[in-house]
């Protein structure tokens, strides 16, 4: 551990670090801080919790000593005392349509809870059909105080269960439930509309869009926006039935090749790609057909990273800030967990266009 002593004349702490793995090492506790500062343990506890009734200078001193000695709250004891785990769990589906989705979401959430007494855990979810079991285990076993859900569905059984259980949660995406709940979402309807209109402005005559599976809420949002644009412009269009954002690159490439088979009255010359992964598969297929962007076709891509900007800086992109979404999700869930009432928190992020 770290031994501290206070120089009366300077008010500075002199400390000497010891190896935590060494024999005789004792984990720093609130009692340790109390002994070093001369304060009562109850005062230290209240200061660590940010009690405004404790003088600011005292809170700052306690916080500094706690940081210097490497004090970490005993979460097992804390849970016995308060019934709280001080854990937020992110239910993360590891899909790769938006490159770096998971890393960006985790980064934003981590930033939002920094400085709080909450920790973030990740619960992987590999099923698009029935992953409510994982949610029930977390809730019934008291493994978290609040949950963050991703890839919401129209009538999501996970959210139905959490609403009925009155368990704190927030989700990335909306649902069709009549009962309001907290969410942060991206305006996918606006994205698809903006993308299709952009392609029309560039002279495209026949458009195509790769949609997510129809079990996801943002499937209908994208479809609404896309269809609104093609109706306004009178353009022909194609929406594949057997290819989605979750299809493999080979499946997407095979679909694209089929668009250019002999007998097509009018080839697709404008593509809306709701993610970098589908675009890269599309690009490979179009190159295989000997086609060039700007001459034979145009495309608008929804992106989360700067990778495409490095590959093709003139590519039309619409940016979805997943890191910011994670930050908003964490901030709003923390407010709920702290008992800060008010209206249901529902945020829809606007698309940020990067058109050359």
């Amino acid at each position: 551990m770290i031994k501290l002593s206070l120089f009366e004349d300077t008010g500075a702490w002199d400390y000497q670090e010891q190896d935590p793995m060494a024999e005789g090492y004792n984990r720093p506790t609130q009692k340790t801080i109390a002994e070093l500062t001369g304060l009562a343990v109850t005062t230290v506890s209240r200061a660590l919790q940010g009690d405004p009734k404790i003088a600011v200078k005292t809170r700052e001193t306690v916080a500094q000593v706690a940081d210097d000695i490497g004090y970490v709250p005993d979460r097992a004891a804390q849970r016995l005392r308060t019934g709280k785990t001080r854990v937020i769990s992110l239910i993360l589906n590891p899909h790769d349509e938006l490159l770096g989705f998971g890393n960006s979401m985790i980064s934003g959430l981590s930033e939002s809870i920094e400085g709080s007494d909450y920790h973030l855990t990740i619960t992987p979810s590999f099923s698009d059909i029935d992953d409510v079991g994982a949610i029930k285990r977390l809730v019934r076993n008291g493994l978290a105080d609040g949950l963050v859900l991703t890839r919401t569905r129209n009538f999501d059984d996970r959210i139905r269960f959490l609403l009925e259980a009155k368990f704190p949660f927030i989700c990335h995406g909306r649902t069709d439930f009549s009962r309001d709940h907290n969410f942060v979402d991206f305006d996918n309807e606006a994205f698809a509309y903006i993308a299709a209109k952009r392609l029309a402005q560039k002279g495209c005559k026949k458009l195509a869009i790769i949609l997510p599976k129809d079990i996801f809420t943002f499937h209908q949002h994208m479809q609404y926006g896309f269809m609104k644009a093609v109706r306004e412009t009178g353009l022909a269009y194609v929406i594949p039935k057997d290819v989605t954002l979750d299809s493999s690159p080979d499946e997407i490439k095979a679909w694209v090749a089929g668009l250019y088979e002999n007998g097509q009255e009018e080839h697709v010359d404008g593509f809306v790609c709701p993610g970098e992964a589908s675009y890269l598969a599309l690009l490979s297929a179009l190159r295989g057909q000997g086609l060039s962007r700007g001459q034979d076709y145009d495309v608008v891509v929804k992106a989360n990273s700067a990778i495409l900007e490095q590959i093709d800086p003139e590519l039309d992109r619409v940016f979805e800030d997943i890191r910011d979404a994670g930050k908003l999700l964490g901030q709003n869930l923390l407010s709920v967990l702290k008992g800060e009432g008010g209206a249901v928190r529902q945020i829809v992020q606007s698309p940020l266009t990067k058109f050359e």
Side-chain angles (χ1 to χ4, degrees):
M1 65 180 287
I2 300 173
K3 291 184 177 180
L4 292 128
S5 59
L6 182 64
F7 291 119
E8 297 290 345
D9 54 341
T10 64
W13 292 98
D14 175 41
Y15 58 90
Q16 192 172 30
E17 189 171 358
Q18 295 181 354
D19 183 0
M21 302 304 294
E23 186 178 352
Y25 171 80
N26 292 313
R27 183 184 184 205
T29 65
Q30 291 185 8
K31 183 178 180 181
T32 310
I33 300 173
E35 291 173 348
L36 292 168
T37 59
L39 299 168
V41 174
T42 54
T43 302
V44 169
S45 176
R46 292 169 61 193
L48 289 170
Q49 295 175 41
D51 188 338
K53 294 182 180 179
I54 302 298
V56 173
K57 186 176 180 180
T58 300
R59 280 183 274 157
E60 290 175 347
T61 298
V62 169
Q64 183 61 55
V65 173
D67 184 61
D68 287 342
I69 68 175
Y71 166 76
V72 177
D74 185 333
R75 296 197 173 275
Q78 193 176 61
R79 180 175 178 179
L80 286 173
R81 185 174 67 255
T82 67
K84 300 294 184 180
T85 65
R86 301 301 177 188
V87 168
I88 290 172
S89 188
L90 167 64
I91 314 301
L92 184 63
N93 187 307
H95 69 101
D96 298 319
E97 176 51 36
L98 285 173
L99 300 182
F101 176 90
N103 287 339
S104 297
M105 180 64 70
I106 292 168
S107 295
L109 280 166
S110 299
E111 183 180 350
S112 71
I113 65 174
E114 185 177 1
S116 74
D117 56 353
Y118 276 88
H119 284 216
L120 178 68
T121 65
I122 311 300
T123 301
S125 171
F126 298 98
S127 172
D128 288 337
I129 305 301
D130 181 20
D131 54 2
V132 71
I135 304 295
K136 290 180 177 179
R137 285 192 293 274
L138 287 167
V139 173
R140 291 170 176 170
N141 292 309
L143 301 178
D145 293 340
L147 302 181
V148 178
L149 278 62
T150 59
R151 301 200 95 188
T152 54
R153 302 184 268 285
N154 299 330
F155 296 98
D156 200 310
D157 287 337
R158 302 171 303 170
I159 294 174
R160 189 194 307 276
F161 169 76
L162 292 169
L163 287 171
E164 291 174 353
K166 297 181 179 180
F167 191 85
F169 76 94
I170 191 167
C171 54
H172 186 234
R174 286 165 275 183
T175 68
D176 287 335
F177 287 125
S178 58
R179 182 176 171 185
D180 288 341
H181 57 79
N182 298 325
F183 67 74
V184 174
D185 198 9
F186 177 74
D187 196 339
N188 282 292
E189 182 175 345
F191 153 70
Y193 178 79
I194 290 169
K197 293 284 281 189
R198 171 66 171 175
L199 293 170
Q201 291 168 2
K202 298 184 81 169
C204 296
K205 302 299 182 184
K206 187 174 184 178
L207 308 185
I209 184 171
I210 302 175
L211 294 174
K213 292 179 179 179
D214 60 10
I215 62 171
F216 296 116
T217 312
F218 73 128
H219 167 99
Q220 65 189 41
H221 293 160
M222 282 189 187
Q223 183 167 278
Y224 291 160
F226 180 77
M227 292 305 301
K228 180 181 178 182
V230 297
R231 288 183 181 122
E232 289 180 359
T233 57
L235 296 180
Y237 67 93
V238 172
I239 300 178
K241 295 181 179 180
D242 299 325
V243 171
T244 71
L245 293 183
D246 288 322
S247 297
S248 70
D250 286 341
E251 290 171 328
I252 294 175
K253 289 167 69 174
W255 167 70
V256 173
L259 294 176
Y260 293 91
E261 291 178 350
N262 293 331
Q264 293 280 352
E265 293 182 3
E266 187 178 51
H267 292 313
V268 172
D269 58 358
F271 294 89
V272 177
C273 288
E276 296 107 326
S278 60
Y279 168 68
L280 292 174
L282 178 80
L283 179 62
S284 176
L286 292 170
R287 284 178 174 173
Q289 295 290 321
L291 304 175
S292 300
R293 186 180 63 78
Q295 297 179 7
D296 305 299
Y297 71 92
D298 272 297
V299 61
V300 178
V301 185
K302 183 169 73 168
N304 169 59
S305 69
I307 292 176
L308 295 184
E309 187 173 355
Q310 303 302 315
I311 297 173
D312 187 352
E314 296 182 355
L315 179 69
D316 284 337
R317 302 177 306 283
V318 177
F319 190 67
E320 178 179 359
D321 195 335
I322 301 299
R323 181 186 177 92
D324 185 57
K327 188 174 180 180
L328 291 168
L329 287 162
Q331 289 172 342
N332 284 290
L333 183 55
L334 276 180
S335 294
V336 173
L337 293 174
K338 291 177 181 178
E340 298 172 1
V344 171
R345 298 165 175 86
Q346 298 181 336
I347 300 171
V348 179
Q349 295 174 292
S350 297
L352 175 63
T353 58
K354 295 186 177 181
F355 295 158
E356 297 300 326

